[in-house]
Amino acid sequence: MKGGDLAVYGVSGKKRMIKKIVMSLFLALLFPTVATLAWTGSVGGKERQESSGETKRIVLDGGTQLSSVSVEEYLWGIVAEQIPADYGKEALKAQAMVARTYIYGIMDGADEIPESSLDLDYPSEKSLEEQWGKENAAEYFQNIKTAVEETEGQVIVYDGKLITPLFHRASTGRTRDKSGELPYIKSVESPQDVEADGFLQMVVFSPAEFAARIREIPDGGEIGEENLFAQIQTVSVDGQGYVEEIQIGTASYSGEEVEYALGLASPAFTLEDYGGNVRAVVKGIGHGCGLSQYGARKRAEEGWTAEEIIEYFYPGAEVADGEE
């Protein structure tokens, strides 16, 4: 899918190949039985018996032989990919609810679903080591595992229905309002987001590189490299600083389209002349809708529970048992 951007759901819209064999070897260093189950769907050559509450399963259809794993165990890798493992227990629990809600929503009441239909990024051993460092791997994986286990079966609902659980790493200081489309995605304050690593970024492009990247946007217009800034006009920006529409050359684009084309951290950007080059000044990480992970981290440090964090970032929504 998207941890950031999501395209709609996660923080990043760039997809990676799922490397289950590598991940299973990594998990084997920590939890050998779990690793065997995640890759083969069985332990010691025998199908694993379902424990109470573990009725929903993911069919691992990316290999040569079909097998399955419970949603709860599958979530260990997904949550590890989506949020820094040192963000605090209650923030991790909130993210586990978000990830589970997304998967349950795709399952749409079914007890089983193929992994290929989820469109989620699953981490490799290398990516987790890069995020965590080898010396932290065991501790951080246990943090994730505990967060999933302590929220087993819990999902987020609004008016009795599963929400579309949008999330991002850090907002511009307030999350965005999309309540016209999703009534629980309202703008709320998250002022400490400005302290997040990577909150403010500046990226410089030559006119040729900028024009080339914009031309790669599907169904776009024409743009020349001469008099470049005369061809750029920001049409609308929302109240939180995210670009809604921008005119570049002969076409109009959404902030997200330009964000992806330029490889920016968020659609909250301004473009300025920088000695004849184009400088993008970017605030925030991700699309800014729904749960702010950094905001969740800071609230967890202040003593908020995962349920309180969820109810804050999704006003009107609540935590429920998805297995009922």
Side-chain angles (χ1 to χ4, degrees):
M1 171 101 239
K2 306 293 245 52
D5 235 271
L6 313 182
V8 176
Y9 163 68
V11 176
S12 171
K14 289 85 174 174
K15 294 177 61 180
R16 289 183 292 276
M17 293 293 290
I18 298 176
K19 301 177 181 177
K20 301 185 195 68
I21 295 179
V22 176
M23 185 60 184
S24 70
L25 293 175
F26 171 68
L27 294 181
L29 300 176
L30 306 176
F31 304 101
T33 301
V34 170
T36 303
L37 172 64
W39 179 240
T40 67
S42 62
V43 176
K46 297 181 180 180
E47 287 298 318
R48 180 179 178 276
Q49 296 297 314
E50 297 286 356
S51 63
S52 60
E54 282 192 8
T55 60
K56 294 186 180 294
R57 300 184 71 79
I58 306 297
V59 177
L60 305 177
D61 58 348
T64 58
Q65 191 172 15
L66 293 181
S67 57
S68 69
V69 64
S70 75
V71 167
E72 296 303 313
E73 289 161 330
Y74 187 78
L75 279 170
W76 298 348
I78 296 302
V79 177
E81 174 71 5
Q82 291 178 339
I83 187 171
D86 61 351
Y87 263 29
K89 181 178 180 180
E90 296 303 310
L92 297 182
K93 287 168 66 175
Q95 186 65 38
M97 295 180 201
V98 165
R100 186 182 294 107
T101 299
Y102 170 76
I103 292 176
Y104 277 27
I106 297 296
M107 296 182 85
D108 193 24
D111 288 333
E112 192 173 82
I113 193 171
E115 182 185 43
S116 57
S117 67
L118 294 177
D119 195 20
L120 286 172
D121 292 336
Y122 206 88
S124 67
E125 175 188 8
K126 181 179 179 181
S127 69
L128 288 179
E129 284 188 355
E130 289 174 351
Q131 292 177 45
W132 297 345
K134 291 183 179 180
E135 69 280 7
N136 298 318
E139 175 189 353
Y140 283 2
F141 188 82
Q142 186 61 46
N143 291 350
I144 299 294
K145 180 174 179 288
T146 298
V148 173
E149 290 178 341
E150 292 191 2
T151 63
E152 181 175 352
Q154 292 183 330
V155 293
I156 311 165
V157 299
Y158 180 88
D159 196 21
K161 298 179 180 179
L162 294 172
I163 71 168
T164 299
L166 305 182
F167 71 92
H168 57 285
R169 181 61 49 81
S171 71
T172 59
R174 284 191 67 93
T175 65
R176 301 175 76 179
D177 190 314
K178 296 293 182 182
S179 58
E181 306 157 43
L182 302 170
Y184 43 82
I185 303 294
K186 298 178 180 178
S187 180
V188 299
E189 292 185 0
S190 193
Q192 293 168 308
D193 285 4
V194 301
E195 303 169 5
D197 290 342
F199 169 80
L200 179 64
Q201 298 185 22
M202 298 184 184
V203 187
V204 178
F205 304 92
S206 69
E209 182 181 10
F210 181 87
R213 292 195 179 208
I214 296 300
R215 292 188 191 110
E216 292 177 356
I217 299 176
D219 303 320
E222 298 296 325
I223 179 174
E225 298 172 23
E226 299 294 329
N227 300 316
L228 186 58
F229 278 92
Q231 304 173 66
I232 301 174
Q233 180 181 2
T234 300
V235 178
S236 62
V237 178
D238 69 17
Q240 292 73 51
Y242 294 86
V243 174
E244 295 178 317
E245 182 181 358
I246 184 169
Q247 178 86 23
I248 302 178
T250 62
S252 290
Y253 305 98
S254 69
E256 284 79 8
E257 287 179 309
V258 175
E259 170 202 352
Y260 298 147
L262 299 181
L264 306 180
S266 95
F269 61 83
T270 57
L271 301 177
E272 57 188 32
D273 188 342
Y274 188 67
N277 293 317
V278 180
R279 182 166 69 176
V281 180
V282 189
K283 295 181 180 180
I285 307 167
H287 51 58
C289 300
L291 176 76
S292 163
Q293 293 178 329
Y294 193 81
R297 173 189 184 179
K298 302 308 289 186
R299 281 161 179 75
E301 291 173 357
E302 294 169 2
W304 289 42
T305 66
E307 290 81 1
E308 290 171 333
I309 291 169
I310 291 297
E311 291 171 1
Y312 180 78
F313 283 106
Y314 303 106
E318 60 184 353
V319 175
D321 187 347
E323 291 286 355
E324 291 182 350

